[in-house]
Amino acid sequence: MKNWYKILAVVLLAYVMIWGFLGPIPRQPVLHETARNLYFHVPMWFGMLAVLSVSVWNSVQYLRTSDMLHDTKSAEYANTGILFGIVGIATGSIWARYTWGAWWTNDVKLNGAAIGLLIYFAYVILRGSFNDEQQRARISSIYNIFAVALLIPLLIILPRMTDSLHPGNGGNPGFKPMDTEHTMRVVFYPACIGWICLGFWITNLRLRLKNLEQIHQENN
Amino acid sequence: MLREIKALIDKEIRLELRQKYALNGMILYIVSTVYVCYLSFRLKSNEIDKITWNTLFWIILLFTAMNAIAKSFTQERFGRLLYYYTLASPVGIILSKIVYNMLLMLVLALIGFGVYAIVMGNPVEDIGLYLLSIFLGAVGFSSTLTMVAGIASKAENSSTLMAILSFPIIIPMLVMLLKISKNALDGLDRASSLDEILTLLAIDAIVLVLSVILFPYLWRS
């Protein structure tokens, strides 16, 4: 059963789509029904962090072994991470419009997310500016590791040092205290796992496509 | 190892002094940027917001640092670089470049600060802390940008790449520096900046360690 995570993704996300929109949620002022975005917006960031960690791990492995497979993997996982990041920012922006009244606010967490995306866009452009495969692999791996090591203080340390509108930091609690009946928790945790599995599935498809393209090129 | 680094720094300084136009060019760059800002804001002294004053200064420094450090791997001919690599260890090369760029940045930043304070007015209340923030900035900028310059120099169109690669990763450092220098500007108690200074030192340490670990891979290509 090597496809277990694909089945898991389909089952869990179908459950999230249906029960996430139909199921009961705690009544909250300001948030109201937008609280259901919790099942989509927050898991995007978990998914992004998951695939990006795999990308960095593959970069480290590439520098250790010089195996081109690791470089391809690291690039494709980074691409999926960018996709999740864009969807995360889009869902967050819509949510912010309905709860805070603005599409974008000057908030450490939002800025951290935007800067993280900028770093990975730069990574893609860096990859595009090499013709030599080996060199592209080595140098983009180096940048990947270097950038992530500087992104970590930005995402973890800085938000804790200032106040923030965003739930989950600056004395602003996450969803847990409101969810006394555990009605959201039963959807939220499966949603996280489901979206992460979907991220791996997307990357897997991209990797297989890349592989086929390569075989096709070699035969011509 | 230390002697090797010292010799390499010596070589960098001598090279810089031999082609004075490059150094003079950078000094002129920062002075004329300051002057452009001065004329653009059309100020008489002290008529600018403190926050704007501070931010403008750091942005000028950031761009100067980018221009000064971007050439650290491109100014020498390829063959000569190859020759250094056979003589010295990669760790020695990256550390010497970082230390040298740090000295260069310190000189440029202090000259820049002097000119800036003369034409734009000097609202800083705690000069000591402000100079410390300039010192920390020079260390941080030079260590981050040296590594990025190494990465960008391997690619084509390296000047654009230098900017897009370094801006996002230098932001955490810049935010901390702005906080410290803002505290110095307002003359706040020094203990209140301690948190930021420690975070900045931690980021600097991360960058240094990573440069030492990663540069040997960069050098091989």
Side-chain angles (χ1 to χ4, degrees):
Chain A
M1 277 296 278
K2 65 171 185 168
N3 289 332
W4 59 270
Y5 65 95
K6 299 175 190 172
I7 299 168
L8 194 65
V10 171
V11 172
L12 287 181
L13 289 182
Y15 164 68
V16 168
M17 296 284 172
I18 297 168
W19 199 241
F21 284 116
L22 296 180
I25 54 166
R27 300 256 153 243
Q28 289 293 325
V30 183
L31 280 175
H32 302 297
E33 292 292 326
T34 64
R36 296 185 197 275
N37 200 0
L38 179 80
Y39 310 139
F40 304 97
H41 170 65
V42 184
M44 283 305 135
W45 302 113
F46 286 120
M48 177 178 164
L49 288 182
V51 289
L52 287 185
S53 325
V54 179
S55 166
V56 174
W57 187 78
N58 271 303
S59 284
V60 174
Q61 287 303 309
Y62 175 79
L63 288 182
R64 289 180 53 184
T65 61
S66 294
D67 180 357
M68 282 309 281
L69 182 67
H70 286 302
D71 177 59
T72 324
K73 276 188 180 170
S74 129
E76 288 307 329
Y77 278 108
N79 281 339
T80 315
I82 290 175
L83 175 72
F84 272 61
I86 291 174
V87 177
I89 281 199
T91 50
S93 185
I94 296 168
W95 205 359
R97 178 72 188 82
Y98 285 100
T99 51
W100 301 337
W103 295 106
W104 190 264
T105 60
N106 184 19
D107 186 282
V108 267
K109 231 169 190 166
L110 276 68
N111 290 338
I115 293 164
L117 272 186
L118 281 184
I119 288 181
Y120 275 91
F121 286 141
Y123 171 79
V124 170
I125 290 175
L126 179 69
R127 288 189 70 85
S129 59
F130 287 103
N131 290 323
D132 182 55
E133 256 188 6
Q134 298 276 340
Q135 199 167 24
R136 171 173 62 207
R138 181 173 301 129
I139 289 168
S140 53
S141 297
I142 292 172
Y143 182 68
N144 199 355
I145 299 169
F146 195 64
V148 162
L150 286 177
L151 189 61
I152 291 169
L154 188 75
L155 293 182
I156 296 174
I157 303 169
L158 297 190
R160 299 218 178 351
M161 290 177 68
T162 45
D163 290 330
S164 162
L165 269 179
H166 197 287
N169 52 307
N172 213 341
F175 78 100
K176 277 176 194 148
M178 333 253 187
D179 187 28
T180 44
E181 308 267 310
H182 299 285
T183 47
M184 297 192 83
R185 223 166 286 197
V186 293
V187 186
F188 177 67
Y189 293 134
C192 289
I193 299 168
W195 287 112
I196 290 175
C197 288
L198 186 72
F200 281 94
W201 191 1
I202 294 173
T203 319
N204 188 269
L205 287 178
R206 296 265 311 178
L207 282 171
R208 280 162 66 189
L209 192 66
K210 272 272 147 94
N211 194 21
L212 287 178
E213 270 171 9
Q214 206 170 0
I215 292 171
H216 183 71
Q217 261 177 358
E218 276 163 12
N219 288 344
N220 283 337
Chain B
M1 184 73 203
L2 276 177
R3 209 187 301 150
E4 181 181 300
I5 294 173
K6 198 170 160 293
L8 282 167
I9 295 172
D10 243 33
K11 171 224 107 186
E12 295 275 353
I13 293 176
R14 205 166 294 173
L15 208 64
E16 194 69 67
L17 291 178
R18 206 172 284 171
Q19 351 170 280
K20 282 218 185 63
Y21 66 91
L23 184 65
N24 290 339
M26 281 180 287
I27 292 173
L28 192 58
Y29 181 92
I30 191 165
V31 171
S32 46
T33 317
V34 167
Y35 210 74
V36 165
C37 292
Y38 165 63
L39 285 183
S40 310
F41 278 93
R42 289 224 167 233
L43 308 152
K44 300 188 185 100
S45 35
N46 282 329
E47 276 184 14
I48 187 173
D49 251 2
K50 273 185 178 180
I51 295 182
T52 322
W53 189 92
N54 192 23
T55 315
L56 197 60
F57 178 64
W58 281 106
I59 290 178
I60 294 172
L61 269 195
L62 178 62
F63 276 87
T64 313
M66 290 255 313
N67 273 300
I69 296 174
K71 69 176 181 52
S72 58
F73 285 92
T74 49
Q75 69 171 357
E76 290 173 64
R77 257 176 285 113
F78 184 70
R80 200 163 347 137
L81 278 178
L82 222 56
Y83 175 59
Y84 295 141
Y85 292 149
T86 56
L87 286 181
S89 69
V91 176
I93 290 178
I94 186 73
L95 285 180
S96 69
K97 290 246 185 221
I98 288 176
V99 173
Y100 168 71
N101 282 333
M102 199 155 73
L103 296 175
L104 181 67
M105 269 314 294
L106 266 181
V107 172
L108 287 176
L110 289 178
I111 293 174
F113 180 64
V115 179
Y116 194 73
I118 289 171
V119 298
M120 303 281 269
N122 184 6
V124 178
E125 290 182 20
D126 188 348
I127 292 278
L129 189 60
Y130 206 87
L131 289 180
L132 176 72
S133 79
I134 290 180
F135 173 75
L136 289 173
V139 178
F141 284 176
S142 63
S143 44
T144 317
L145 292 176
T146 305
M147 189 64 192
V148 175
I151 293 174
S153 71
K154 301 283 177 187
E156 293 137 39
N157 73 338
S158 62
S159 55
T160 325
L161 263 184
M162 179 80 193
I164 58 169
L165 293 183
S166 57
F167 281 162
I169 59 178
I170 218 156
I171 286 173
M173 212 171 261
L174 198 61
V175 171
M176 288 288 119
L177 284 168
L178 280 171
K179 269 191 185 158
I180 299 174
S181 51
K182 183 71 182 31
N183 288 351
L185 208 57
D186 294 338
L188 293 188
D189 186 25
R190 290 192 183 183
S192 61
S193 321
L194 202 63
D195 250 15
E196 279 87 13
I197 293 176
L198 287 179
T199 314
L200 202 56
L201 285 177
I203 298 178
D204 282 352
I206 293 175
V207 172
L208 270 180
V209 171
L210 273 177
S211 301
V212 168
I213 296 173
L214 291 177
F215 189 73
Y217 292 101
L218 190 67
W219 156 76
R220 235 184 267 162
S221 53

